[in-house]
Amino acid sequence: MKWKKGIAAVVSLLFSASLLTACSGGGDKKTSANPAPADAWVIGGNFELSGGQATFGKAAVNGAQLVFDEVNAKGGINGKQIKFVALDNKSEATESTNVASKLINQEKAVAILGCTTSGDTLGMVQLAMDKKIPVLSTSATNPKVTVDEKTNKTNDYIFRACFIDPFQGTVMANFSLNNLNKKTAAVLTDNQAPYAKGLAQFYKEAFTKKGGQIVADEGYVTGDQDFKAILTKIRATNPDVLYVPGYYEEVGKIVKQARELGMNIPVMGGDGWDSPKLVEIAGAGALNNTFFSNHYSSEDKDPIVQDFVKKYKEKYNEVPDSMAVLGYDGALILVDALKRAGEPNAEKIKEALAATKDVQTVTGKISYDEFHNPIKAAAIIEMKDGKQTFKDKVQP
Amino acid sequence: MDVFIQQLINGLSLGSIYALIALGYTMVYGIIRLINFAHGDVYMVGAYVGFWATTQGWGFLPALVLSMVVSAILGVVIERLAYRRLRNSPKIAVLITAIGVSFLLENGGVLALGAKIRTFPNVFPEVQYHFFNGAVVITNRQLVIMVVTTLLMLLLQYVVHKTKTGKAMRAVSHDTQAAMLMGINVDNTISATFAIGSALAAAAGVLVGIYYNAINPYMGIMPGLKAFVAAVVGGIGVIPGAFVGGISLGVIEALVSGYGQSLYRDAVAFALLIIILIVKPSGLFGSNVREKV
Amino acid sequence: MTEMLKQYFKLSNILVTVAILVLFAAVNIGIETGFIDDYYKLNLFLICINIILAVSLNIINGMTGQFSIGHAGFMAIGAYGSAIMTLKLGYPFAVGILVGAVAAALCGILVGLPTLRLKGDYLAIATLGFGEIIRVVILNIDYVGGAAGLNGISQYTDWPWIFSLTVITVLVIKNFMTSTHGRACISIRENEIAAETMGIDITRYKVIAFTMGAFFAGVAGALHAHYFYTIQPTTFGFLKSFDILVYVVLGGLGSMTGSVIAATGLTILSAYLQDYAELRMVIYSLLLIVVMLVRPQGLLGTAELSFDGIRRFFSRQTGKGRGAGNDSAVG
């Protein structure tokens, strides 16, 4: 009698199994309709197309698509077209694993581009390592992405198109001490973003090591609207500068509300600030006396940059932000490696990626160090009346 | 002291928003005993309508009114299509439907308008008032939020207590069957409740858009939950309770951020909710209802 | 004695055992030979995890009639607890699962005791609050990585582990449901006051339900953590709780088979809709609303799908009063 109810469980399990086979049947049909992997290079895209970071993912896909379209228009690589399959990971790490698995197993991708955030990229790192499929993240700046935490060894198959958090944090700490001549700083971190926490940590380390003092260390979470309470608390400690390594949406509100509270000190941050939306949210006036480190500036007069901005504007009718430019750069680096690999073989692509040297991208000439991090300069941008202007360029 | 006053002002303006959303929550819960999870998303839609109107060059008041009207209609439509059929179904079915409607509005919003945040145009110039040598700052936008919230609350009190619709609402909320027997059109009364509640949420949406300057399709989730907390704290179904609950939640959050650890702010809000539920389940202003056997 | 043996070796029981073993072996061979590739494997594992989550929530929501919507919090405890054991302290996976599940169960008691005074929607919102509190607390503990979460967790979850735990969970809960204790829980759902009058210790059974539900959610969390390599606090937000709640309600509150079918179906649906980024959630939400409007009691109501029920249905052609497989013995 006791076992009787178990029947139901088994029926259901059988049911699920049959559903699953039905599912796999459908899947097979679908893949057979696509060109066989031998006819094209299948590049997977694992991006945030919905959810909290949807704007990042979309911009990066737009940027990457531009490269692949160009390559295909010129006849592809070794006569083979590139098929770019970008799927949605809902801005979730678990879903990112799922998407990567689908790209590798179903779409037979030979390499994966993405994700834009460190958290989501970390979701597929281990899977890609196990499956031996190279991953090139467009903008995961957390050092942990390419280096195994426990063994401190480089993750063979993981690469990125951006510089890393320690560099960005240190650059801004030096900038506040040396260029702005400020001695005390308050840090306000997006505690839900590993990216922001990384930046904050390295900023604080560099700042205190060189004689500065951190007078306030506060946090918020992504999606917060009201920062006046935290800012009032920070205001009471009288800092010389405020460092806010977060994403533009919250940063815009923070700068706006800080100015409303009469805090006119310099506010600084990282590449998460780079979006035309920042000015819209905070207002041009409030953003005076703010600085951030970035991968590039759309105002840069460099012809390579301007050429890219023009192309991007033509196709998508908007100014590319740093996510878009890194999507573009990531695709450029990948295409360069594909050309050198010569055939759609994950192992060879990985070798080629690791050997990347002096590839001309919009954000500079890219070469990888031993940890698969590109060695490139950071731009420090000052906001003046709502316009991004070059303040400084810092070499590593 | 000046820091404390500043924190109070911060809390009051934040709490006013919670209060406006909580009013709608409490009305709907009071009348059909449904946690309307889609309420926070009606607030989002209200903000978007306000955004559209102000970018078309409308002034603050016309935009506010338009947004309230559109959201009122939306609220009624949601009730008609999604909730009415389920009025006699298990409560959890309606709750799941409400969650479904909430997802639909959020993701429909993403699909139709994009996930990108939108920024409101400058509807009226910002003026700051300084006290204590600039240690305490209040902006005219914060004042507008507080004044509009108070006015709408008073208006709502008037409607609920002095008008025929309001009396019908109270009757239906007290005992639906008896109200029906007394010749009250229950369907229309419930529709009216949804219309008023949604209009208030829309007002909150427009105010938030103007004050914080940025809106996105997911903006309703957290404030919606918080407003529900506020409604429960104040005593669900009680209109002044929702108002007081909203204001206190805002002030408590400001004080937690200002004097404690800002990262635990949300946890404190929910812990407060649980404590109040355990100590006084009917909320601060609610009256205990004895269970009939 | 022989009577008992006869019951144990009833045809249907033998069939069940054989079917379980065959299914296990078939999938195992499929995985070994690569016939079931990693993508299907991943979804198969997700289905199993979601089944455990759904049936465990069903103890609380379906059987006992308590309205809990913070299930992801227990899952988080299980995931973090087990990952700390294996990743940080180097214990074997089995210990990890056990510790994660027990930690979740303790939290279940912790949540259960104070909230038992609350009823219906109040309980719902309190459990939602607890789930959020758990998430916020985890987010602020640097030992477990804060927002970045725990990374580099070894992938211990394989088919034998996940399959046996899923089967065990379903069987344990099934048997609990038809036991004295399970029936006591059901009586609380049907009428709390009447149950109390009949001498049922309501508080005790509510706590038992919460603890059991939390325990198995912890198991699911542990399996999840050790399959996806990485866990982050955001994975266990209230949206995850809603997902689990949807499985239970869509399948039918109080129906184990309903939960299993809904968890399976919706996981597959979610995988299918992956290609339609933004449209996916719109379709999902529309489906939710339509199903609820058409069948507010869920797909199966409180009924169960079973061999016996199906057999009865076919042997009794005039079975108009009861639908296919309705086994009125339960609920």
Side-chain angles (χ1 to χ4, degrees), chain C residues 3-171:
Chain C
E3 193 57 31
M4 213 173 135
L5 275 179
K6 235 186 212 167
Q7 281 215 345
Y8 275 123
F9 292 101
K10 241 172 48 163
L11 178 69
S12 54
N13 283 346
I14 296 167
L15 274 178
V16 169
T17 320
V18 170
I20 289 177
L21 291 175
V22 166
L23 180 67
F24 172 75
V27 175
N28 208 22
I29 292 168
I31 290 172
E32 297 287 326
T33 55
F35 178 72
I36 297 177
D37 72 21
D38 272 34
Y39 175 67
Y40 291 126
K41 193 174 137 195
L42 185 138
N43 278 290
L44 193 64
F45 280 30
L46 261 184
I47 287 172
C48 288
I49 290 169
N50 287 337
I51 286 176
I52 298 179
L53 287 170
V55 293
S56 62
L57 184 64
N58 209 346
I59 308 179
I60 306 171
N61 280 21
M63 276 167 66
T64 323
Q66 301 303 301
F67 209 164
S68 166
I69 49 176
H71 217 51
F74 300 132
M75 187 188 174
I77 300 278
Y80 273 91
S82 65
I84 289 171
M85 292 310 283
T86 60
L87 182 71
K88 299 254 178 186
L89 306 175
Y91 284 96
F93 184 39
V95 179
I97 296 180
L98 196 67
V99 170
V102 170
L106 288 177
C107 274
I109 299 178
L110 216 68
V111 175
L113 279 177
T115 49
L116 288 174
R117 293 186 44 163
L118 308 172
K119 291 208 176 73
D121 297 337
Y122 290 99
L123 177 64
I125 213 77
T127 49
L128 190 141
F130 262 116
E132 282 296 284
I133 291 173
I134 290 174
R135 193 180 60 80
V136 172
V137 169
I138 292 177
L139 187 67
N140 286 302
I141 299 176
D142 279 331
Y143 179 69
V144 292
L150 285 172
N151 299 303
I153 303 168
S154 305
Q155 195 182 44
Y156 290 128
T157 304
D158 54 10
W159 177 243
W161 268 114
I162 204 162
F163 183 78
S164 51
L165 284 175
T166 309
V167 170
I168 289 171
T169 306
V170 173
L171 287 184

Side-chain angles (χ1 to χ4, degrees), chain B residues 69-217:
Chain B
V69 170
V70 171
S71 300
I73 295 168
L74 176 71
V76 172
V77 169
I78 291 174
E79 195 270 332
R80 277 272 151 93
L81 294 182
Y83 303 151
R84 179 162 295 181
R85 287 187 50 154
L86 294 170
R87 208 171 286 160
N88 296 317
S89 305
K91 226 184 213 168
I92 197 160
V94 201
L95 188 84
I96 296 284
T97 314
I99 293 173
V101 173
S102 165
F103 284 175
L104 185 64
L105 288 177
E106 280 158 25
N107 296 292
V110 173
L111 196 64
L113 308 158
K116 271 209 165 132
I117 53 166
R118 308 284 169 142
T119 47
F120 266 64
N122 241 346
V123 184
F124 44 78
E126 190 183 281
V127 187
Q128 299 177 358
Y129 307 99
H130 294 262
F131 305 93
F132 298 103
N133 295 328
V136 174
V137 187
I138 185 163
T139 69
N140 56 340
R141 288 181 191 181
Q142 284 176 308
L143 287 175
V144 165
I145 288 180
M146 294 182 222
V147 169
V148 170
T149 303
T150 315
L151 285 180
L152 285 174
M153 214 284 290
L154 293 176
L155 184 69
L156 184 64
Q157 274 293 58
Y158 172 78
V159 168
V160 169
H161 285 281
K162 302 286 177 204
T163 65
K164 220 171 174 179
T165 322
K167 283 177 183 162
M169 279 176 191
R170 283 188 291 146
V172 172
S173 131
H174 199 74
D175 188 335
T176 314
Q177 298 293 328
M180 208 184 282
L181 290 173
M182 299 309 287
I184 291 171
N185 188 331
V186 172
D187 282 352
N188 284 355
T189 309
I190 292 176
S191 291
T193 311
F194 268 90
I196 296 175
S198 306
L200 292 173
V206 177
L207 290 174
V208 158
I210 288 169
Y211 180 46
Y212 296 116
N213 210 6
I215 57 174
N216 70 58

Side-chain angles (χ1 to χ4, degrees), chain B residues 19-86:
Chain B
L20 268 185
I21 310 174
L23 285 173
Y25 250 125
T26 222
M27 289 175 70
V28 167
Y29 190 90
I31 205 155
I32 57 168
R33 304 269 174 262
L34 163 69
I35 305 176
N36 184 12
F37 273 110
H39 193 66
D41 302 294
V42 172
Y43 148 87
M44 176 271 291
V45 172
Y48 270 90
V49 175
F51 165 74
W52 179 84
T54 46
T55 43
Q56 299 296 311
W58 295 36
F60 167 64
L61 275 180
L64 186 72
V65 171
L66 176 81
S67 153
M68 287 173 76
V69 170
V70 171
S71 300
I73 295 168
L74 176 71
V76 172
V77 169
I78 291 174
E79 195 270 332
R80 277 272 151 93
L81 294 182
Y83 303 151
R84 179 162 295 181
R85 287 187 50 154
L86 294 170

